[in-house]
Amino acid sequence: MSLFKKESFVSHSGIKLDWKIECDALFNTDYETLAYIIGTKIAFDQVYGIPTGGLRLAKHLKSYSLPQHPYNLLVDDVATTGNSFEQWKQEFSELAIRKPLIGVVLFDRTYSNLPNWVFPVFKLAI
């Protein structure tokens, strides 16, 4: 299985795209390393994954959570529009009242349309 595929598909947000980032191709060791990168750069208390792509990343990030940190973390694997982050922020609004949310996405293909509280690990630059 390849991480990047040249194939047509419809994204979670309903957009027809002609290439795909297939995060199922990532191994647990890849997620462990990505969690290390994120966990050593961003301080957070609780971590929540956006279903379904963010759940695997959230699982690996749990060991980096520390209750004294002032933020909760919302994660996903790929962002195409950024809408999932806004939708799930509302879903977790009760949690955000106690501690504000910071978002992290592994791959940003939104062309700078991510909400300003979401940070990409890898960003499509062209």
mmCIF file of all heavy atoms in Angstrom, residues 90-115:
data_model
loop_
_atom_site.group_PDB
_atom_site.id
_atom_site.type_symbol
_atom_site.label_atom_id
_atom_site.label_comp_id
_atom_site.label_asym_id
_atom_site.label_seq_id
_atom_site.Cartn_x
_atom_site.Cartn_y
_atom_site.Cartn_z
ATOM 1 N N GLN A 90 -16.971 22.151 17.858
ATOM 2 C CA GLN A 90 -18.298 22.356 18.433
ATOM 3 C C GLN A 90 -18.751 21.138 19.225
ATOM 4 O O GLN A 90 -19.348 21.254 20.281
ATOM 5 C CB GLN A 90 -19.312 22.708 17.351
ATOM 6 C CG GLN A 90 -19.099 24.085 16.795
ATOM 7 C CD GLN A 90 -20.277 24.578 16.001
ATOM 8 O OE1 GLN A 90 -21.066 23.804 15.492
ATOM 9 N NE2 GLN A 90 -20.390 25.885 15.897
ATOM 10 N N GLU A 91 -18.430 19.955 18.708
ATOM 11 C CA GLU A 91 -18.766 18.707 19.399
ATOM 12 C C GLU A 91 -18.101 18.663 20.780
ATOM 13 O O GLU A 91 -18.683 18.185 21.744
ATOM 14 C CB GLU A 91 -18.320 17.512 18.549
ATOM 15 C CG GLU A 91 -18.687 16.180 19.106
ATOM 16 C CD GLU A 91 -20.155 15.836 18.917
ATOM 17 O OE1 GLU A 91 -20.812 16.416 18.026
ATOM 18 O OE2 GLU A 91 -20.635 14.987 19.665
ATOM 19 N N PHE A 92 -16.879 19.162 20.840
ATOM 20 C CA PHE A 92 -16.122 19.164 22.085
ATOM 21 C C PHE A 92 -16.186 20.507 22.800
ATOM 22 O O PHE A 92 -15.353 20.792 23.651
ATOM 23 C CB PHE A 92 -14.657 18.796 21.823
ATOM 24 C CG PHE A 92 -14.461 17.367 21.407
ATOM 25 C CD1 PHE A 92 -13.996 17.061 20.151
ATOM 26 C CD2 PHE A 92 -14.736 16.330 22.288
ATOM 27 C CE1 PHE A 92 -13.808 15.741 19.762
ATOM 28 C CE2 PHE A 92 -14.554 15.013 21.917
ATOM 29 C CZ PHE A 92 -14.097 14.709 20.654
ATOM 30 N N SER A 93 -17.173 21.333 22.496
ATOM 31 C CA SER A 93 -17.234 22.673 23.078
ATOM 32 C C SER A 93 -17.317 22.626 24.601
ATOM 33 O O SER A 93 -16.790 23.508 25.281
ATOM 34 C CB SER A 93 -18.398 23.468 22.500
ATOM 35 O OG SER A 93 -19.628 22.859 22.829
ATOM 36 N N GLU A 94 -17.947 21.614 25.145
ATOM 37 C CA GLU A 94 -18.009 21.481 26.603
ATOM 38 C C GLU A 94 -16.603 21.321 27.178
ATOM 39 O O GLU A 94 -16.264 21.895 28.201
ATOM 40 C CB GLU A 94 -18.857 20.272 26.975
ATOM 41 C CG GLU A 94 -18.974 20.040 28.464
ATOM 42 C CD GLU A 94 -19.787 18.800 28.751
ATOM 43 O OE1 GLU A 94 -20.909 18.698 28.227
ATOM 44 O OE2 GLU A 94 -19.290 17.943 29.488
ATOM 45 N N LEU A 95 -15.765 20.559 26.488
ATOM 46 C CA LEU A 95 -14.381 20.388 26.923
ATOM 47 C C LEU A 95 -13.592 21.673 26.733
ATOM 48 O O LEU A 95 -12.741 22.008 27.539
ATOM 49 C CB LEU A 95 -13.713 19.260 26.143
ATOM 50 C CG LEU A 95 -14.332 17.877 26.303
ATOM 51 C CD1 LEU A 95 -13.754 16.931 25.281
ATOM 52 C CD2 LEU A 95 -14.131 17.355 27.703
ATOM 53 N N ALA A 96 -13.875 22.373 25.643
ATOM 54 C CA ALA A 96 -13.138 23.595 25.339
ATOM 55 C C ALA A 96 -13.424 24.696 26.364
ATOM 56 O O ALA A 96 -12.608 25.588 26.545
ATOM 57 C CB ALA A 96 -13.478 24.086 23.934
ATOM 58 N N ILE A 97 -14.568 24.619 27.020
ATOM 59 C CA ILE A 97 -14.862 25.606 28.059
ATOM 60 C C ILE A 97 -13.863 25.453 29.205
ATOM 61 O O ILE A 97 -13.362 26.422 29.736
ATOM 62 C CB ILE A 97 -16.320 25.452 28.553
ATOM 63 C CG1 ILE A 97 -17.274 25.884 27.454
ATOM 64 C CG2 ILE A 97 -16.554 26.258 29.822
ATOM 65 C CD1 ILE A 97 -18.726 25.549 27.712
ATOM 66 N N ARG A 98 -13.562 24.207 29.547
ATOM 67 C CA ARG A 98 -12.598 23.964 30.616
ATOM 68 C C ARG A 98 -11.182 24.277 30.166
ATOM 69 O O ARG A 98 -10.409 24.874 30.891
ATOM 70 C CB ARG A 98 -12.685 22.515 31.079
ATOM 71 C CG ARG A 98 -13.963 22.206 31.816
ATOM 72 C CD ARG A 98 -13.883 20.879 32.510
ATOM 73 N NE ARG A 98 -13.360 19.827 31.662
ATOM 74 C CZ ARG A 98 -14.003 18.729 31.334
ATOM 75 N NH1 ARG A 98 -15.209 18.518 31.769
ATOM 76 N NH2 ARG A 98 -13.449 17.828 30.569
ATOM 77 N N LYS A 99 -10.836 23.830 28.959
ATOM 78 C CA LYS A 99 -9.509 24.090 28.397
ATOM 79 C C LYS A 99 -9.669 24.301 26.900
ATOM 80 O O LYS A 99 -10.343 23.528 26.228
ATOM 81 C CB LYS A 99 -8.572 22.904 28.651
ATOM 82 C CG LYS A 99 -8.208 22.735 30.113
ATOM 83 C CD LYS A 99 -7.131 21.691 30.279
ATOM 84 C CE LYS A 99 -6.758 21.593 31.749
ATOM 85 N NZ LYS A 99 -5.636 20.686 31.970
ATOM 86 N N PRO A 100 -9.047 25.336 26.349
ATOM 87 C CA PRO A 100 -9.166 25.589 24.911
ATOM 88 C C PRO A 100 -8.541 24.453 24.092
ATOM 89 O O PRO A 100 -7.635 23.765 24.543
ATOM 90 C CB PRO A 100 -8.379 26.882 24.711
ATOM 91 C CG PRO A 100 -8.011 27.378 26.050
ATOM 92 C CD PRO A 100 -8.247 26.315 27.044
ATOM 93 N N LEU A 101 -9.061 24.296 22.870
ATOM 94 C CA LEU A 101 -8.553 23.272 21.956
ATOM 95 C C LEU A 101 -7.461 23.831 21.056
ATOM 96 O O LEU A 101 -7.550 24.965 20.581
ATOM 97 C CB LEU A 101 -9.677 22.734 21.073
ATOM 98 C CG LEU A 101 -10.685 21.800 21.714
ATOM 99 C CD1 LEU A 101 -11.809 21.489 20.738
ATOM 100 C CD2 LEU A 101 -10.023 20.520 22.173
ATOM 101 N N ILE A 102 -6.463 23.008 20.823
ATOM 102 C CA ILE A 102 -5.468 23.228 19.774
ATOM 103 C C ILE A 102 -5.613 22.046 18.836
ATOM 104 O O ILE A 102 -5.777 20.909 19.285
ATOM 105 C CB ILE A 102 -4.035 23.262 20.337
ATOM 106 C CG1 ILE A 102 -3.819 24.481 21.212
ATOM 107 C CG2 ILE A 102 -3.008 23.248 19.206
ATOM 108 C CD1 ILE A 102 -2.438 24.537 21.833
ATOM 109 N N GLY A 103 -5.558 22.296 17.531
ATOM 110 C CA GLY A 103 -5.672 21.223 16.558
ATOM 111 C C GLY A 103 -4.336 20.934 15.892
ATOM 112 O O GLY A 103 -3.526 21.837 15.689
ATOM 113 N N VAL A 104 -4.137 19.664 15.570
ATOM 114 C CA VAL A 104 -2.969 19.242 14.799
ATOM 115 C C VAL A 104 -3.440 18.256 13.745
ATOM 116 O O VAL A 104 -4.212 17.341 14.035
ATOM 117 C CB VAL A 104 -1.888 18.586 15.685
ATOM 118 C CG1 VAL A 104 -0.787 17.968 14.828
ATOM 119 C CG2 VAL A 104 -1.285 19.586 16.645
ATOM 120 N N VAL A 105 -2.977 18.453 12.517
ATOM 121 C CA VAL A 105 -3.265 17.523 11.430
ATOM 122 C C VAL A 105 -1.938 17.062 10.833
ATOM 123 O O VAL A 105 -0.994 17.841 10.738
ATOM 124 C CB VAL A 105 -4.174 18.186 10.361
ATOM 125 C CG1 VAL A 105 -3.470 19.334 9.646
ATOM 126 C CG2 VAL A 105 -4.674 17.152 9.368
ATOM 127 N N LEU A 106 -1.866 15.779 10.492
ATOM 128 C CA LEU A 106 -0.622 15.260 9.911
ATOM 129 C C LEU A 106 -0.359 15.875 8.548
ATOM 130 O O LEU A 106 0.724 16.386 8.292
ATOM 131 C CB LEU A 106 -0.676 13.731 9.795
ATOM 132 C CG LEU A 106 -0.688 12.953 11.088
ATOM 133 C CD1 LEU A 106 -0.736 11.452 10.800
ATOM 134 C CD2 LEU A 106 0.533 13.302 11.928
ATOM 135 N N PHE A 107 -1.358 15.829 7.658
ATOM 136 C CA PHE A 107 -1.187 16.319 6.293
ATOM 137 C C PHE A 107 -2.244 17.369 5.978
ATOM 138 O O PHE A 107 -3.436 17.092 6.059
ATOM 139 C CB PHE A 107 -1.309 15.165 5.284
ATOM 140 C CG PHE A 107 -0.257 14.116 5.444
ATOM 141 C CD1 PHE A 107 -0.508 12.961 6.161
ATOM 142 C CD2 PHE A 107 0.993 14.286 4.870
ATOM 143 C CE1 PHE A 107 0.460 11.990 6.314
ATOM 144 C CE2 PHE A 107 1.972 13.316 5.013
ATOM 145 C CZ PHE A 107 1.709 12.164 5.738
ATOM 146 N N ASP A 108 -1.798 18.559 5.634
ATOM 147 C CA ASP A 108 -2.686 19.675 5.286
ATOM 148 C C ASP A 108 -2.672 19.860 3.781
ATOM 149 O O ASP A 108 -1.671 20.272 3.205
ATOM 150 C CB ASP A 108 -2.199 20.948 5.988
ATOM 151 C CG ASP A 108 -2.962 22.185 5.552
ATOM 152 O OD1 ASP A 108 -4.034 22.047 4.927
ATOM 153 O OD2 ASP A 108 -2.479 23.292 5.834
ATOM 154 N N ARG A 109 -3.784 19.540 3.145
ATOM 155 C CA ARG A 109 -3.909 19.792 1.716
ATOM 156 C C ARG A 109 -4.951 20.873 1.445
ATOM 157 O O ARG A 109 -5.564 20.927 0.389
ATOM 158 C CB ARG A 109 -4.227 18.495 0.964
ATOM 159 C CG ARG A 109 -5.487 17.805 1.384
ATOM 160 C CD ARG A 109 -5.743 16.506 0.638
ATOM 161 N NE ARG A 109 -6.015 16.740 -0.751
ATOM 162 C CZ ARG A 109 -5.879 15.828 -1.723
ATOM 163 N NH1 ARG A 109 -5.506 14.621 -1.440
ATOM 164 N NH2 ARG A 109 -6.133 16.127 -2.968
ATOM 165 N N THR A 110 -5.165 21.786 2.413
ATOM 166 C CA THR A 110 -6.225 22.788 2.333
ATOM 167 C C THR A 110 -5.823 24.077 1.630
ATOM 168 O O THR A 110 -6.661 24.939 1.466
ATOM 169 C CB THR A 110 -6.721 23.189 3.736
ATOM 170 O OG1 THR A 110 -5.671 23.857 4.426
ATOM 171 C CG2 THR A 110 -7.210 22.000 4.528
ATOM 172 N N TYR A 111 -4.559 24.223 1.279
ATOM 173 C CA TYR A 111 -4.119 25.457 0.641
ATOM 174 C C TYR A 111 -4.397 26.667 1.531
ATOM 175 O O TYR A 111 -5.018 27.637 1.118
ATOM 176 C CB TYR A 111 -4.752 25.642 -0.738
ATOM 177 C CG TYR A 111 -4.587 24.460 -1.641
ATOM 178 C CD1 TYR A 111 -5.595 23.526 -1.777
ATOM 179 C CD2 TYR A 111 -3.394 24.254 -2.328
ATOM 180 C CE1 TYR A 111 -5.432 22.428 -2.597
ATOM 181 C CE2 TYR A 111 -3.230 23.160 -3.143
ATOM 182 C CZ TYR A 111 -4.255 22.239 -3.286
ATOM 183 O OH TYR A 111 -4.090 21.145 -4.067
ATOM 184 N N SER A 112 -4.009 26.562 2.788
ATOM 185 C CA SER A 112 -4.085 27.645 3.784
ATOM 186 C C SER A 112 -5.485 27.932 4.296
ATOM 187 O O SER A 112 -5.737 29.008 4.809
ATOM 188 C CB SER A 112 -3.459 28.935 3.240
ATOM 189 O OG SER A 112 -2.128 28.711 2.907
ATOM 190 N N ASN A 113 -6.409 26.997 4.176
ATOM 191 C CA ASN A 113 -7.759 27.228 4.680
ATOM 192 C C ASN A 113 -7.999 26.622 6.057
ATOM 193 O O ASN A 113 -9.123 26.603 6.525
ATOM 194 C CB ASN A 113 -8.802 26.657 3.707
ATOM 195 C CG ASN A 113 -8.849 27.454 2.426
ATOM 196 O OD1 ASN A 113 -8.620 28.653 2.431
ATOM 197 N ND2 ASN A 113 -9.113 26.790 1.331
ATOM 198 N N LEU A 114 -6.968 26.150 6.702
ATOM 199 C CA LEU A 114 -7.142 25.599 8.042
ATOM 200 C C LEU A 114 -7.516 26.705 9.020
ATOM 201 O O LEU A 114 -7.059 27.836 8.886
ATOM 202 C CB LEU A 114 -5.836 24.958 8.537
ATOM 203 C CG LEU A 114 -5.532 23.550 8.121
ATOM 204 C CD1 LEU A 114 -4.202 23.092 8.717
ATOM 205 C CD2 LEU A 114 -6.624 22.584 8.508
ATOM 206 N N PRO A 115 -8.336 26.372 10.007
ATOM 207 C CA PRO A 115 -8.583 27.360 11.073
ATOM 208 C C PRO A 115 -7.256 27.758 11.724
ATOM 209 O O PRO A 115 -6.317 26.957 11.769
ATOM 210 C CB PRO A 115 -9.471 26.597 12.057
ATOM 211 C CG PRO A 115 -10.076 25.475 11.267
ATOM 212 C CD PRO A 115 -9.072 25.132 10.214
#
